[in-house]
């Protein structure tokens, strides 16, 4: 669910095991964010694991991906996060709640 930014109010379903990519390049990303500062062509990927009932987020960017609590994800490292976590892409203008 997008809570801030160009897609505010929109929701993007993720099927179990599939990756949804956020970035500014439509050839590399399913959610395309073109007007935001510091968003990479392939910024981050989100997977949902029904078995664990949690998300796995991987930061592919050069500028970083941050969680709502201020935690900066390690680049290229799949990071498990709980449902309800807020994901910040770019300079806080694009936020997604993983619910």
């Amino acid at each position: 669910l997008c809570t801030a930014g160009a897609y505010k109010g929109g929701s993007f379903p993720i099927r179990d095991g599939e990756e949804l990519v956020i970035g500014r390049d439509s050839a590399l990303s399913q959610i395309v964010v073109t007007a935001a500062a510091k968003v990479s062509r392939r910024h981050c990927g989100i997977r949902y694991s029904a078995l664990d009932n949690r998300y796995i987020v991987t930061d592919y960017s050069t500028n970083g991906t941050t969680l709502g609590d201020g935690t900066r994800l390690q680049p290229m490292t799949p990071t498990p996060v709980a449902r309800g976590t807020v994901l910040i892409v770019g300079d806080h203008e694009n936020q997604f709640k993983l619910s």
Side-chain angles (χ1 to χ4, degrees):
L1 175 65
C2 185
T3 57
Y7 294 104
K8 184 176 181 178
S11 65
F12 303 90
I14 302 174
R15 292 188 201 145
D16 184 30
E18 290 186 355
E19 183 176 51
L20 180 70
V21 177
I22 301 171
R24 70 172 199 271
D25 186 335
S26 62
L28 302 172
S29 310
Q30 290 84 25
I31 300 176
V32 180
V33 180
T34 56
K38 298 186 178 182
V39 174
S40 296
R41 292 182 309 129
R42 183 176 182 232
H43 197 88
C44 66
I46 306 165
R47 291 184 186 274
Y48 176 69
S49 170
L51 180 65
D52 300 325
N53 192 32
R54 66 180 177 184
Y55 291 90
I56 295 95
V57 180
T58 305
D59 174 29
Y60 300 121
S61 73
T62 42
N63 291 309
T65 301
T66 306
L67 302 181
D69 68 0
T71 302
R72 188 177 172 110
L73 299 181
Q74 291 296 316
M76 304 305 288
T77 303
T79 305
V81 298
R83 293 176 71 111
T85 298
V86 173
L87 184 66
I88 300 169
V89 177
D91 284 337
H92 285 80
E93 64 266 15
N94 292 284
Q95 297 185 20
F96 299 87
K97 184 175 182 179
L98 306 177
S99 54

